Amino acid sequence: MLQNVSILQQTGVAVLAAATVVWAVGLVRVLRRDRSDVDVWHQAQALRALPAQTGPPRTETVELTPDERAAFAGLVRQFGEGRS
C-alpha cells in the first residue's frame, strides 16, 4: 500500500475502477447485442416519419394567368435562343 494515501482514498479509487470496468463491460454487451438487430431495424424504420411526397407542396403551387403564361413562354424562348 501507498503510505501517503489514506485507506479511504485507496478504497475510493478501487470502487471507481470497478465501476468503470462494469460500465465498459455492459456497454460492450449492449453494443454487440444491438449490432445484429441494426439491419432489421433500418429496413423496418426506413423513413416512416416522413410522408411520401406525391407532388409539389401546396405552398409552391401557383396558378398563372394567361398573360403570365405568355410572358413565361417568351422568357423560355429567349433563353432557348441563347443556347443555340
Side-chain angles (χ1 to χ4, degrees):
M1 283 207 249
L2 300 173
Q3 294 178 358
N4 294 334
V5 180
S6 71
I7 291 178
L8 186 60
Q9 289 174 331
Q10 290 179 7
T11 305
V13 170
V15 168
L16 286 176
T20 302
V21 170
V22 169
W23 175 81
V25 168
L27 181 64
V28 168
R29 290 185 70 185
V30 167
L31 290 177
R32 283 188 181 171
R33 182 188 67 201
D34 289 342
R35 188 182 307 161
S36 63
D37 298 335
V38 169
D39 291 333
V40 174
W41 185 81
H42 279 298
Q43 291 172 357
Q45 300 292 331
L47 297 179
R48 282 187 1 191
L50 298 176
Q53 187 170 352
T54 57
R58 290 185 181 181
T59 58
E60 295 181 16
T61 303
V62 177
E63 293 294 326
L64 300 177
T65 64
D67 293 334
E68 291 172 331
R69 286 185 189 172
F72 183 73
L75 286 174
V76 169
R77 275 187 247 115
Q78 286 178 353
F79 289 132
E81 292 172 2
R83 289 188 173 188
S84 302

